[in-house]
Amino acid sequence: MPGFARKLEEKLEAIRKAGLYRSLRRLNSPQTSRIECEGQRCLNFSSNDYLGLADHPALKEAAIKAIEKFGAGSGASRLICGSLGPHHELDETLAEFKRTEAALSFSSGYAAAVGTITALLDKNDVLVLDKLVHASIVDAARLSGAKLRVFAHNDLESLEQILQWAQRERSGGTVLVVVESVYSMDGDLAPLRELVRLKERYGAWLMVDEAHGTGLFGAHGRGVAEQEGVADAIEIQMGTVGKALGAAGGYICGSRALIDLLVNRARSFIFSTAPVPAAAASATAGVRLVSGEEGEKRRQLLWKNVRRVTEELPGLSSSSAIIPILVGDERQAVETAGSLRQNGIFIPAVRYPTVARGQARLRLTLSASHSEQDIAELVRALKTQNVVSHARHGEIVNKTMS
Ligand SMILES: *Cc1c(COP(=O)(O)O)cnc(C)c1O
């Protein structure tokens, strides 16, 4: 198959030339603050395990018990015969946690986004996205066939103009606005209260992806929507289980009718084998921990770590556990990440297509499981290598370019 091989090699070469080549790194340790990555011990500042639950004994024990009682596999999709006890328990626990009528768990956040948006909209409807929403939502938008409009990131005026256009344009169709509560690569928050006001003024629906908000914000860790007091006004609350909740999966919380419709229409839910019982059970344990005292304790530790890093490095700021260090140039970002890694600090370089071209960055994430010493080592390495002042220069260059 010489043609096939040549074609693929050409494509790979183009990726390499652009400084965008990616490969997998093998980790030989659990997902904690200290990892062993390709034979080297590193401090881990790359994980979305913000509360340090991925290796928590309660989640592991829940998984083991579920395996013993329900087996390793689920056997079928949930609508055939794979809807096991642990899946129902997770759905019920999620609804209780989020104070919604009902909830539905998916095998991943990606599957939740794709299944939900395509179940709700078709070509007669309008989908309005923030420019920086996650790839899963962009893919869902394309698949749905709905008319697509994108507003400038967190820009309410830009959104309002589109909503006015949609009001004129739509003939009975639905208008759905989709945002994230915490943006995954920038760490900034959406103005949820204003977004709710706008969508209500124009009779649109709102879907909020709390992938990086769930477990971290609000008095009970339900997310930014709880913190802002607008959860009840959001039609579709989405989240992931693989981040602060410490396990794997995605979910939608909302009305009973929404969940019933998804069970009937969300293709990523219907045509996919149910997650293994262990995943559902550890997810339930994660939700329980996050909504209780332990969650609160861990949130305090996390915010203390965020404060410490942003105080010690005034060039950095963040309203969440994600602290972007903007570099700009793709190769430069990879180089900087490489030299930090050689010094035992793992912060990944994030490049196009995860972020826009010329917007490459180090994506630094903090966790409740980082000790004071871990944070001190991070700060020392960033200062020694002058990473932050370099990054600020990158930011200025980008601004003048755009
Ligand atoms: C991670 C993420 C997803 C996808 O969730 P998975 O469970 O990893 O598939 C969706 N939206 C956002 C904003 C994310 O960061």
Side-chain angles (χ1 to χ4, degrees):
M1 299 178 285
F4 181 65
R6 196 179 339 106
K7 193 80 200 164
L8 299 201
E9 204 37 64
E10 275 169 27
K11 285 178 190 282
L12 284 167
E13 195 44 38
I15 296 172
R16 281 192 203 97
K17 266 199 177 136
L20 298 174
Y21 188 77
R22 306 176 183 209
S23 59
L24 299 172
R25 260 181 235 101
R26 177 172 176 158
L27 239 72
N28 286 316
S29 59
Q31 191 62 243
T32 55
S33 59
R34 282 167 191 270
I35 51 176
E36 194 197 304
C37 184
E38 297 184 326
Q40 201 197 342
R41 283 151 63 109
C42 273
L43 271 174
N44 183 10
F45 292 100
S46 67
S47 178
N48 301 316
D49 178 29
Y50 303 118
L51 297 179
L53 297 187
D55 193 44
H56 193 287
L59 274 74
K60 293 198 277 194
E61 195 189 312
I64 292 165
K65 282 201 171 138
I67 289 171
E68 282 169 350
K69 185 158 180 207
F70 291 95
S74 294
S77 72
R78 287 191 59 185
L79 279 169
I80 300 297
C81 69
S83 202
L84 307 178
H87 301 120
H88 289 264
E89 200 176 346
L90 173 58
D91 293 349
E92 286 156 18
T93 308
L94 282 165
E96 203 178 302
F97 171 49
K98 289 275 189 172
R99 293 285 191 273
T100 52
E101 258 175 42
L104 188 66
S105 53
F106 288 74
S107 54
S108 68
Y110 188 98
V114 169
T116 301
I117 291 173
T118 55
L120 291 173
L121 301 188
D122 61 32
K123 64 180 183 358
N124 301 311
D125 303 311
V126 177
L127 189 53
V128 188
L129 308 183
D130 184 285
K131 182 152 185 2
L132 294 188
V133 292
H134 190 258
S136 56
I137 296 165
V138 175
D139 293 359
R142 292 192 185 127
L143 255 180
S144 74
K147 286 186 208 82
L148 182 60
R149 288 291 181 278
V150 175
F151 63 98
H153 176 53
N154 275 348
D155 184 333
L156 296 164
E157 264 176 50
S158 166
L159 171 61
E160 186 158 19
Q161 278 170 10
I162 292 171
L163 290 174
Q164 284 166 349
W165 165 86
Q167 206 171 38
R168 291 193 302 272
E169 203 71 5
R170 85 169 126 179
S171 40
T174 296
V175 179
L176 174 66
V177 178
V178 189
V179 299
E180 286 172 29
S181 64
V182 178
Y183 282 86
S184 59
M185 296 299 139
D186 292 71
D188 58 341
L189 308 193
L192 284 189
R193 267 187 259 171
E194 290 81 358
L195 286 165
V196 163
R197 223 173 289 142
L198 266 186
K199 70 100 183 171
E200 296 202 326
R201 184 176 314 148
Y202 290 93
W205 300 346
L206 182 61
M207 173 166 169
V208 179
D209 178 354
E210 292 249 37
H212 301 274
T214 302
L216 303 189
F217 293 87
H220 304 86
R222 289 174 206 146
V224 181
E226 181 192 17
Q227 177 173 286
E228 298 301 306
V230 294
D232 291 343
I234 297 167
E235 282 82 0
I236 304 142
Q237 299 191 61
M238 173 188 156
T240 58
V241 182
K243 286 152 186 165
L245 295 175
Y251 65 81
I252 298 289
C253 291
S255 65
R256 184 75 252 168
L258 169 65
I259 300 310
D260 289 346
L261 185 75
L262 294 180
V263 169
N264 282 277
R265 282 284 159 79
R267 294 170 65 86
S268 62
F269 175 85
I270 298 169
F271 298 106
S272 191
T273 300
V276 296
S282 50
T284 301
V287 176
R288 292 205 173 121
L289 273 186
V290 155
S291 52
E293 247 171 66
E294 171 109 23
E296 188 49 36
K297 211 173 72 196
R298 285 172 181 255
R299 279 190 284 282
Q300 307 262 350
L301 286 171
L302 169 66
W303 297 131
K304 197 173 109 206
N305 285 341
V306 172
R307 265 197 311 278
R308 185 129 175 253
V309 169
T310 50
E311 276 167 18
E312 297 246 12
L313 296 155
L316 299 182
S317 66
S318 183
S319 322
S320 69
I322 303 161
I323 308 180
I325 307 177
L326 205 65
V327 176
D329 181 67
E330 280 78 16
R331 284 168 198 282
Q332 168 95 56
V334 173
E335 252 171 52
T336 308
S339 70
L340 282 166
R341 205 161 54 249
Q342 277 173 2
N343 289 302
I345 303 284
F346 182 38
I347 309 175
V350 178
R351 293 163 284 170
Y352 178 84
T354 309
V355 295
R357 283 184 203 276
Q359 292 276 315
R361 66 201 60 188
L362 304 183
R363 179 178 181 268
L364 164 63
T365 51
L366 297 177
S367 164
S369 63
H370 288 123
S371 67
E372 284 189 16
Q373 192 197 335
D374 297 342
I375 299 292
E377 279 182 46
L378 166 73
V379 168
R380 194 177 326 124
L382 290 177
K383 279 184 177 164
T384 311
Q385 295 195 35
N386 226 354
V387 173
V388 177
S389 65
H390 213 104
R392 288 169 81 199
H393 176 66
E395 193 169 20
I396 293 160
V397 170
N398 277 321
K399 281 206 174 118
T400 39
M401 276 173 15
S402 58

